[in-house]
Amino acid sequence: MGTTRAIHDMSQSRKAAASGWIGSALEYYDFFIYATAASLIFPQIFFPSDNPTVAIVASLATYGVGYVARPIGAFVLGHWGDTHGRKTVLIVCMFLMGISTMAVGILPTYQQVGILAPILLVMLRLVQGFAVAGEISGASSMILEHAPFGRRGFYASFALQGVQAGQILAAAVFLPLAAYMPTDAFNSWGWRIPFLLSFFVIVAGYIIRREVDETPAFAREGERGETPRAPIVQAIKLNWPDMLRVICMALMNVIPVVATIFGAAYAVQPAYGIGFAKDVYLWIPVLGNMLAVFVIPFVGNLSDKVGRKPPIVVGALLSGLLAFGYLYAISIRNVPLAILLSLLMWGVVYQGYNAIFPSFYPELFPTRTRVSAMAISQNIGTTITALLPALFAVVAPPGSANIPLTVGAIAFGITVIAALAAVTARETYRISIDDLGNPKAVPIARADYERQRAEAASGVAAVQT
């Protein structure tokens, strides 16, 4: 009986991790094809202007609009996840994201319907932002609550590995279109293809996520009658210090913003005069994310050995410093150096934070408010950083001097804030699942922890400990 329970639990652990990986990959494919299009094509077809700076700022601002909707989605979807379950909220997120993304692919352009085109674009981006707000918090909580003790960092990291895979797919879909299609055809209809492919996202996502059981931790809350009616109120009342820390740590989103959004506009848009070819620049995020896919589980596993905080602090500070070099490489038109520094900054060092937060954030909160607390605080932080591409374009517009120094200094300052927030947080990796969120919880002895970790790694330990 005990062996059967262990096998069942480990099977669900793996199934939850696979569901989180594939679901996140599909959903973030949708989210990031918009980001790619906002840098490469939307300034010309949705925001035409005699002033190219205005068009760039307007297009990048719509990328930020999606993040503006995220706190709203976090409140609604976080509440849903804590009251109706992790599985249900993830399916809702998938349908909202897929349908809104497909709709972008059939929008008329500014030349066809005038101002209505950017208005509709912004509305659909708001729906995207609303939907994605529940994805990482829901997926991270589901994987964490299914994971065996001592392996939570490793298992939870697969949610972010899926996110990186989704970004690879988003850029990779654009690569052959930008490289081989005539410019007029790409600007007219070629850019729509990645958005319309979201139909398959909806179908595949639903099939995958319906196979995962609800988490044991959430089920136990329901059995004890402890499912909260107002998890948001409880989260803010009881967990506000840790929510504030998560907001500050989530500012680390500045690194992918620099790498993929402002970096793309800086390298590709004619107004900046750098002149990277679109298809060449698209390889930078593709290669960076390909490397990250391999690094993430390694770092997640490392955090199960040394703790969550050290990788986050080191990753934050070093990736902030590398932002200077990355932007400088673009400014001197050195494609190989830009790719190398992107691999270091984003593909390796940034993953010290990126691979850890899917386990660290939900570990800071109790089961009854976990999805709400993480979703709200993380999305507030990422919303702040998502407004940065437009800010960068304003403080470092085409023709200005010292663009790498200006943007790099802002990025580094933000990563320092994130590192300080991590330093002040409590360590969580040796806290049992039922004690998570309790500031007074005592970590289990290291010898016991290592024993249980070894059992989990061998597949003989039951999930609940």
Side-chain angles (χ1 to χ4, degrees), residues 11 91 232 235 251 275 335 351 360 434 465:
S11 173
I91 293 175
I232 297 168
L251 297 177
V335 175
Q351 303 312 318
F360 191 41
D434 289 328
T465 57

Side-chain angles (χ1 to χ4, degrees), residues 48-259:
S49 172
D50 294 334
N51 186 335
T53 299
V54 172
I56 294 171
V57 170
S59 180
L60 293 182
T62 65
Y63 168 79
V65 163
Y67 283 86
V68 170
R70 287 176 69 156
I72 302 171
F75 275 91
V76 177
L77 298 172
H79 174 89
W80 192 271
D82 282 326
T83 56
H84 292 80
R86 290 37 168 153
K87 177 178 178 178
T88 303
V89 76
L90 289 174
I91 293 175
V92 170
C93 291
M94 183 72 66
F95 274 97
L96 285 173
M97 176 63 77
I99 293 171
S100 60
T101 303
M102 286 179 58
V104 172
I106 60 175
L107 280 182
T109 65
Y110 187 91
Q111 290 183 337
Q112 294 171 321
V113 297
I115 194 65
L116 181 62
I119 290 174
L120 292 173
L121 183 67
V122 168
M123 291 175 62
L124 291 173
R125 183 60 173 175
L126 287 170
V127 177
Q128 277 194 328
F130 181 93
V132 83
E135 172 61 32
I136 287 300
S137 57
S140 298
S141 296
M142 171 170 278
I143 296 173
L144 185 88
E145 292 169 5
H146 272 298
F149 188 54
R151 300 280 284 168
R152 295 192 304 237
F154 174 73
Y155 275 86
S157 70
F158 282 93
L160 258 293
Q161 192 189 49
V163 171
Q164 306 305 122
Q167 293 183 59
I168 294 171
L169 186 59
V173 167
F174 272 99
L175 273 171
L177 299 175
Y180 299 112
M181 287 190 71
T183 301
D184 290 343
F186 177 78
N187 291 351
S188 174
W189 58 269
W191 67 270
R192 299 178 184 274
I193 294 174
F195 291 89
L196 296 176
L197 290 176
S198 291
F199 170 78
F200 298 101
V201 171
I202 300 174
V203 176
Y206 177 72
I207 292 173
I208 293 161
R209 287 194 157 158
R210 70 180 181 180
E211 296 299 320
V212 184
D213 293 342
E214 190 51 78
T215 71
F218 181 80
R220 289 199 300 273
E221 292 287 316
E223 292 170 0
R224 292 194 294 255
E226 296 179 0
T227 303
R229 292 186 177 181
I232 297 168
V233 175
Q234 287 193 27
I236 295 173
K237 181 179 180 180
L238 302 176
N239 308 120
W240 69 264
D242 287 319
M243 291 180 70
L244 183 59
R245 290 185 178 95
V246 171
I247 289 171
C248 292
M249 286 188 282
L251 297 177
M252 277 299 298
N253 193 57
V254 67
I255 297 300
V257 165
V258 167

Side-chain angles (χ1 to χ4, degrees), residues 407-439:
V407 176
I410 297 173
F412 179 65
I414 290 172
T415 62
V416 169
I417 294 172
L420 290 173
V423 167
T424 65
R426 64 187 178 278
E427 190 55 82
T428 57
Y429 75 115
R430 287 192 288 124
I431 304 294
S432 66
I433 188 79
D434 289 328
D435 289 330
L436 291 177
N438 178 7

Side-chain angles (χ1 to χ4, degrees), residues 9 21 41 46 76 89 202 214 259 276 283 293-294 301 412 456:
D9 286 336
W21 191 98
I41 188 64
F46 285 107
V76 177
V89 76
I202 300 174
E214 190 51 78
F276 278 24
W283 278 106
V293 164
F294 292 100
N301 187 59
F412 179 65

Side-chain angles (χ1 to χ4, degrees), residues 305-371:
K305 298 179 181 179
V306 304
R308 314 296 188 222
K309 292 167 62 174
I312 290 179
V313 172
V314 172
L317 296 177
L318 290 185
S319 61
L321 287 173
L322 285 168
F324 289 102
Y326 171 68
L327 293 170
Y328 174 73
I330 293 177
S331 72
I332 62 173
R333 300 174 174 85
N334 190 325
V335 175
L337 182 60
I339 292 175
L340 174 62
L341 289 174
S342 171
L343 292 176
L344 288 174
M345 175 185 72
W346 190 17
V348 178
V349 178
Y350 173 69
Q351 303 312 318
Y353 160 79
N354 202 39
I356 307 306
F357 87 77
S359 56
F360 191 41
Y361 288 2
E363 284 176 340
L364 290 171
F365 306 111
T367 301
R368 63 183 179 274
T369 62
R370 181 165 292 135
V371 180

